[in-house]
Amino acid sequence: MEIRTPRLTLRSAGPDDLEGMHAVLSDPRATLWWSTPPHETLEQTAAWLDGMIANGPDHPDFVIELDGRVIGKAGFWRLPDVGYILHPDLWGQGLAAEAVGAAIDHVFATRDIESLTADVDPENAASIRLLERLGFVRTGFGERTWNVGGVWKDSVFYALSRSDRKTKAPA
């Protein structure tokens, strides 16, 4: 499966994506609000990538390529919850919004699902702005929802309905 946007290619993961994803998942800046601490070894990333590959090519969870280089992932490891991570050297360029928006549009076009969800750390202001720009609305808050490396994290919950995406999709 492959999706092309003006600057990016979103595609199913493969074994050759190991080094690119390890560069993202081992960076403490990228994983500051991720569900795991930074990956310390290629083996950790290989196990993570194997899980992504095992979902199969029709699963809407994608590696993100920019100019042929893997720079992150966007999509749905488990529907309806969207997830994304991007190498920090590329933050602030609108690439995450472009990738996540494409993954969302793909799911709404190919799945009989009425709403999507997101779980974000309340301290992750950039991710909150991204979700809200894509039309997500806040639905709740949870304390101590994630234990990442021995540290409890809170969650802000968001949802995006199919009809809201149609009316609020960025031009």
Side-chain angles (χ1 to χ4, degrees):
M1 159 61 46
E2 187 174 284
I3 300 169
R4 292 198 179 270
T5 70
R7 298 180 289 174
L8 304 171
T9 300
L10 280 68
R11 60 170 177 74
S12 300
D16 291 343
D17 299 323
L18 178 59
E19 287 187 21
M21 284 310 306
H22 185 69
V24 176
L25 293 169
S26 64
D27 190 311
R29 299 170 297 165
T31 58
L32 183 59
W33 295 290
W34 193 242
S35 57
T36 64
H39 288 189
E40 295 180 9
T41 66
L42 272 174
E43 290 75 23
Q44 280 180 285
T45 305
W48 178 89
L49 187 60
D50 286 347
M52 195 173 172
I53 294 168
N55 282 328
D58 294 330
H59 194 80
D61 200 15
F62 308 100
V63 294
I64 306 167
E65 280 187 2
L66 174 67
D67 300 325
R69 181 173 61 106
V70 173
I71 61 165
K73 84 123 211 152
F76 301 84
W77 178 72
R78 186 177 15 214
L79 280 166
D81 203 32
V82 69
Y84 42 91
I85 190 167
L86 190 69
H87 196 284
D89 290 351
L90 299 164
W91 289 355
Q93 300 177 36
L95 296 170
E98 189 173 321
V100 175
I104 289 168
D105 291 343
H106 170 77
V107 164
F108 279 142
T110 61
R111 301 290 197 285
D112 185 21
I113 191 166
E114 286 306 312
S115 67
L116 303 174
T117 58
D119 176 342
V120 63
D121 188 306
E123 296 178 7
N124 190 346
S127 190
I128 289 170
R129 282 192 306 274
L130 167 69
L131 291 169
E132 291 176 350
R133 191 173 335 129
L134 292 172
F136 280 81
V137 295
R138 184 176 168 163
T139 59
F141 179 84
E143 292 182 354
R144 298 173 54 94
T145 53
W146 291 90
N147 188 311
V148 181
V151 176
W152 282 102
K153 302 284 190 168
D154 298 336
S155 292
V156 179
F157 302 109
Y158 279 84
L160 174 66
S161 70
R162 178 183 292 272
S163 61
D164 279 350
R165 179 65 179 161
K166 286 180 183 173
T167 60
K168 297 179 186 172

